[in-house]
């Protein structure tokens, strides 16, 4: 084969291979990320995943990311970070005890379950309500009915919860994860703030470690008042 012709054939082959790679890369980029990592069970005992939170009040607007691990009836851990991936604080619920910790300062504040969640979202929720809000399963379990009985809920024609209200707190589902009753994104509104939750990953009922690991590290942390914690946040 003529040397010039041989070079041209090689160029064609290289360009063709590059074109195929480009098509594959574009196709991969167009595939939406998988949100649910496991099938949705009929009974939710544990839920974990990642989400984004935008929350706005009279003074400020925050864009946060967080991971969550919620185990019914009374164990939970939420790690909150900024959009640079830096951990801002953690929320830990263990039985009757609830904590907000700042790992970078090795300090914590202890409060009631609803109080600690309030510092995260800006309004009171217990862990059972948080699981129901995240999963779309109301109530989270028969044993927890009394903890969420005060909610007024609205469903669509397929039985999915699309709206909920308790007093002056309300939420509305913007988008569902396909073929489920779990919200992909939802908005919430309260006299003191408003915001949007968008879920990125979610997994259910995976084996859990001994919950005591959640609070063991607090032995090396210093307890602070909420006023002292606020100064550190500023």
């Amino acid at each position: 084969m003529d040397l010039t012709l041989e070079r041209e054939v090689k160029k064609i082959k290289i360009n063709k291979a590059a074109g195929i790679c480009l098509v594959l890369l574009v196709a991969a980029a167009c595939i939406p990320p998988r949100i649910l990592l496991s099938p949705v069970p009929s009974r939710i005992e544990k839920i974990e995943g990642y989400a984004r939170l935008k929350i706005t009040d009279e003074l400020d607007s925050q864009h946060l990311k967080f991971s969550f691990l919620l185990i019914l009836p009374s164990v939970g851990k939420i790690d909150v970070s900024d959009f640079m991936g830096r951990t801002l604080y953690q929320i830990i619920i263990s039985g009757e005890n609830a904590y907000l910790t700042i790992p970078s300062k090795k300090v914590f504040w202890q409060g009631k379950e609803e109080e600690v969640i309030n510092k995260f979202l800006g309004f009171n929720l217990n862990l059972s309500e948080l699981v129901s809000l995240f999963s779309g399963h109301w109530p989270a379990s028969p044993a927890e009915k009394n903890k969420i009985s005060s909610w007024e809920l609205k469903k669509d024609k397929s039985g999915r919860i699309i709206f909920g209200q308790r007093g002056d707190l309300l939420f509305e589902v913007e988008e569902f994860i396909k073929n489920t009753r779990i919200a992909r994104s939802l908005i919430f509104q309260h006299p003191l703030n408003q915001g949007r939750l968008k879920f990125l990953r979610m997994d259910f009922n995976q084996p859990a470690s001994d919950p005591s690991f959640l609070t063991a590290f607090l032995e090396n942390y210093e307890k602070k008042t909420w006023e002292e914690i606020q100064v550190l946040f500023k």
Side-chain angles (χ1 to χ4, degrees), residues 7-230:
R7 287 175 180 172
E8 290 300 319
V9 170
K10 285 183 179 180
K11 286 182 181 180
I12 293 172
K13 288 181 179 180
I14 292 172
N15 290 336
K16 185 177 179 180
I20 292 173
C21 290
L22 179 61
V23 170
L24 292 175
L25 288 172
V26 171
C30 293
I31 298 174
R34 187 171 155 208
I35 301 173
L36 296 181
L37 302 182
S38 62
V40 182
S42 59
R43 179 186 176 95
I44 294 177
E45 298 175 351
K46 178 181 172 227
I47 180 172
E48 57 187 314
Y50 299 89
R52 291 177 182 166
L53 170 66
K54 178 184 179 182
I55 187 165
T56 304
D57 57 28
E58 294 180 352
L59 302 176
D60 195 14
S61 181
Q62 297 183 75
H63 295 262
L64 304 170
K65 296 190 294 185
F66 66 95
S67 63
F68 56 91
L69 168 64
L70 308 175
I71 306 172
L72 290 171
S74 58
V75 174
K77 184 173 185 286
I78 298 173
D79 289 275
V80 183
S81 60
D82 61 21
F83 265 66
M84 298 294 290
R86 297 171 297 197
T87 299
L88 300 177
Y89 60 91
Q90 296 175 325
I91 289 173
I92 297 173
I93 299 168
S94 181
E96 297 180 356
N97 301 312
Y99 311 89
L100 186 148
T101 79
I102 303 180
S104 62
K105 304 293 184 181
K106 289 195 173 182
V107 298
F108 72 92
W109 168 73
Q110 183 174 354
K112 296 180 180 178
E113 181 179 317
E114 291 87 349
E115 289 178 323
V116 174
I117 294 176
N118 183 300
K119 304 307 180 187
F120 171 48
L121 293 175
F123 46 82
N124 288 349
L125 286 181
N126 59 47
L127 188 136
S128 295
E129 291 171 320
L130 201 59
V131 170
S132 292
L133 186 68
F134 285 10
S135 68
H137 287 230
W138 296 76
S141 70
E144 301 298 322
K145 285 183 179 179
N146 63 321
K147 292 189 176 183
I148 62 173
S149 60
S150 58
W151 284 88
E152 296 179 14
L153 303 169
K154 292 183 181 179
K155 299 180 180 180
D156 63 11
K157 293 180 180 179
S158 62
R160 301 178 302 185
I161 301 296
I162 57 173
F163 177 88
Q165 183 170 4
R166 185 190 63 191
D168 50 13
L169 168 63
L170 61 87
F171 73 86
E172 184 175 358
V173 176
E174 289 186 307
E175 179 188 357
F176 287 96
I177 298 174
K178 188 176 181 181
N179 299 324
T180 76
R181 53 179 172 174
I182 299 174
R184 174 74 169 92
S185 67
L186 58 85
I187 56 174
F188 58 85
Q189 188 172 331
H190 187 266
L192 298 179
N193 59 38
Q194 59 186 3
R196 172 178 283 106
L197 274 168
K198 187 169 185 178
F199 296 98
L200 307 176
R201 292 287 188 275
M202 201 173 292
D203 206 356
F204 301 95
N205 294 357
Q206 296 302 310
S209 303
D210 183 349
S212 63
F213 83 94
L214 291 174
T215 56
F217 70 94
L218 291 178
E219 295 178 0
N220 300 315
Y221 277 45
E222 182 181 356
K223 187 174 183 179
K224 297 285 187 179
T225 65
W226 178 244
E227 289 71 24
E228 290 172 323
I229 292 290
Q230 284 182 301

